[in-house]
Amino acid sequence: MGRAIILKSQAEIQKMQEANRIVAGALSLLQERIEPGLTTLQLDKWAEQFALSHKSTPAFKGYRGFPGSLCVSINEEVVHGIPSPSVVLHEGDIVSIDFGVRFKGYYGDAAITLPVGNVSARKGDLIEATRVALEKAIEQVRPGNRINDISTAVEQQVEACHFSVVRQFVGHGIGSELHEPPEIPNYRRRERTEKLLPGMALAIEPMVNAGSYEVKVLKDGWTVVTADGQPSAHFEHTVVVTEGEPLVLSRLD
Ligand code: MG
């Protein structure tokens, strides 16, 4: 066990709500604009401008030296793809975009995977399975449940679709730091996991591979790809445990 999980006050949750609204707004903008022919750097610039124009700071830029504002991961890239002026989106690609901002000292973090034009049925199924896995995980965000209930919900959904969950990267607590305790794996663990309490803020982020769960990091030191070259999808929401229903801060309504 590492550091304790920090419970957030209503005032803190309010700031996190605003941060996450900016993140959701940026992702929504990219979803509207995505099309073949764009570079991944263009997506990064749009997200960065959106954050800055909403008085927030992109959270990933400079984080442990990450060079972009947006993580853009295409097809077999799982997470942490670096935006580039020489990487162009093509019809049939799937693109995972992960964005975070800091606003009034608090973080928001969310991700979606988008199809570029028409994609194969398998890629479409992968996106949908991952999106649904996140929704099932969010359903478990209730006081009295444990982190393992979230992990199990993801794993069961993904395995029912005959895909696999990435084990090397996990979700996380979030607040005045981008990454706080607890870790939120997308697979069930045998040991006892933390109990969910009102005020916990969790970035839940299933990363799902069409083939094997194994991944590797490219020589750029960042880009995570599937070991077998098959595609991968990623969805993420920042969610707060309340006395009642889960509060999804990064959902646009
Ligand atoms: Mg995250």
Side-chain angles (χ1 to χ4, degrees), residues 73 76-81 166-169 209 212-230 232:
S73 310
E76 77 283 0
E77 296 172 355
V78 180
V79 287
H80 305 164
V166 172
R167 304 175 73 88
Q168 205 171 317
F169 297 88
N209 293 352
S212 144
Y213 71 88
E214 287 164 278
V215 298
K216 59 184 184 184
V217 180
L218 295 185
K219 287 202 184 86
D220 64 19
W222 282 105
T223 312
V224 178
V225 298
T226 58
D228 61 11
Q230 293 203 50
S232 186

Side-chain angles (χ1 to χ4, degrees), residues 1-144:
M1 285 287 121
R3 298 166 295 149
I5 301 173
I6 301 161
L7 301 181
K8 276 74 184 182
S9 68
Q10 275 309 318
E12 290 177 303
I13 291 168
Q14 186 52 45
K15 288 174 192 159
M16 293 184 70
Q17 173 72 80
E18 292 178 64
N20 278 285
R21 245 183 219 132
I22 297 167
V23 172
L27 292 178
S28 165
L29 183 81
L30 298 182
Q31 181 162 18
E32 282 168 26
R33 292 184 177 176
I34 200 150
E35 61 177 0
L38 294 174
T39 67
T40 57
L41 186 66
Q42 176 66 72
L43 300 178
D44 175 271
K45 290 301 161 210
W46 281 332
E48 181 174 280
Q49 284 161 11
F50 190 90
L52 296 175
S53 70
H54 289 79
K55 299 182 166 54
S56 65
T57 316
F60 304 159
K61 195 164 206 166
Y63 184 86
R64 296 182 179 167
F66 187 75
S69 291
L70 189 72
C71 294
V72 194
S73 310
I74 300 177
N75 297 331
E76 77 283 0
E77 296 172 355
V78 180
V79 287
H80 305 164
I82 299 172
S84 164
S86 58
V87 176
V88 176
L89 303 184
H90 295 102
E91 173 102 16
D93 286 342
I94 60 172
V95 185
S96 299
I97 49 177
D98 188 351
F99 193 49
V101 304
R102 186 170 190 264
F103 180 78
K104 294 184 178 170
Y106 288 85
Y107 286 93
D109 191 4
I112 51 175
T113 298
L114 299 169
V116 181
N118 290 312
V119 302
S120 69
R122 184 165 167 78
K123 282 177 170 174
D125 289 348
L126 178 66
I127 290 176
E128 182 62 6
T130 311
R131 189 191 67 76
V132 171
L134 176 56
E135 292 305 319
K136 296 205 167 174
I138 290 168
E139 269 301 301
Q140 297 301 318
V141 179
R142 296 169 188 282

Side-chain angles (χ1 to χ4, degrees), residues 60 98 109-110 170-172 174 178-179 203-205 234 236 238:
F60 304 159
D98 188 351
D109 191 4
V170 299
H172 50 94
I174 181 168
L178 181 58
H179 295 122
I204 305 171
E205 48 180 322
H234 178 211
E236 177 178 24
T238 297

